[in-house]
Amino acid sequence: MAVPVIDFSKLNGEERAKTMALIANGCEEWGFFQLINHGIPEELLERVKKVSTEFYKLEREENFKNSTTVKRLNDIAEKKSDEKLENVDWEDVITLLDDNEWPENTPSFRETMLEYRSELKKLAESLTEVMDENLGLPKGYIKKALNGGEEDNAFFGTKVSHYPPCPYPELVNGLRAHTDAGGVILLFQDDKVGGLQMLKDGEWLDVQPLPNAIVINTGDQIEVLSNGRYKSCWHRVLGSTDGMRRSIASFYNPPLKATISPAPQLAEKENQQVDDTYPKFVFGDYMSVYAEQKFLPKEPRFRAVKAI
């Protein structure tokens, strides 16, 4: 079994219906799929790779080498016990927002990443329209829900992560298994160094590196909005002794004040009640629960959030 790879350009041609069906299957049966020919210029993607690598070397690498995580891992390895390094990840990460303070020491980093984020946001919104159509929802429904009912109010963040070579990958997680809290996640992962895995039917599968593809996964709020038709998927990153893995994940999420609930049209269409698993809630309240329970089973998070 391999994570589906879908040619997004075929939405605009004779194979539109087939491509829509492939995306529906990716959302319903996988929660993960890879897009090729997605419309983001390859020249821009090559620049993103370049500035991200330079950014890590110039502004992050030394700090990571001297971090508490590295020190603790080395201490555990020296003891040669059965102990593992828990509750941390072998990851260097920074989150980019348009109005945040940006790194300043890497040439062209800000300009390149702003351009990239703009392209990714457009792709995220195109995907929400495909989901609307596949779910039988009015055009713009999911985008509106993820914008808190306003025109352009989604939270759009980009995590630039690097997973350095790990001397003892059996003792620490690259990134612990979790589902993503938000809406649509768009990942530009390393061309060569693997490590990302998703859980499918009880089995961990590699999300195979594919040059210049964009990996899509659906978050918890898409699961709620779709009344459980689309499931957020558990995923993790394994550490590796060789190769630096680059991972750039962008999150098209609701603002904290947004109200999220299953689309009533889905319950009516299927002649069923809205799934009791998913209460109507304020996204900020969900995030408060998620912050405490990110790496714990998903279903109790929905039950723990305060319904409105």
Side-chain angles (χ1 to χ4, degrees), residues 181 220-221 279 281-307:
D220 294 346
Q221 305 317 304
F281 55 79
V282 174
F283 181 60
D285 292 342
Y286 183 81
M287 287 304 294
S288 296
V289 173
Y290 183 84
E292 299 289 327
Q293 301 184 21
K294 176 176 179 178
F295 303 108
L296 300 176
K298 175 175 57 174
E299 289 71 18
R301 296 201 294 258
F302 294 126
R303 292 196 292 269
V305 73
K306 178 183 170 187

Side-chain angles (χ1 to χ4, degrees), residues 47-64:
R47 279 191 283 131
V48 169
K49 295 176 198 175
K50 181 175 184 291
V51 298
S52 299
T53 300
E54 290 173 352
F55 164 66
Y56 180 77
K57 288 179 178 175
L58 284 171
E59 304 191 45
R60 307 293 294 185
E61 186 171 34
E62 201 60 33
N63 283 343
F64 186 83

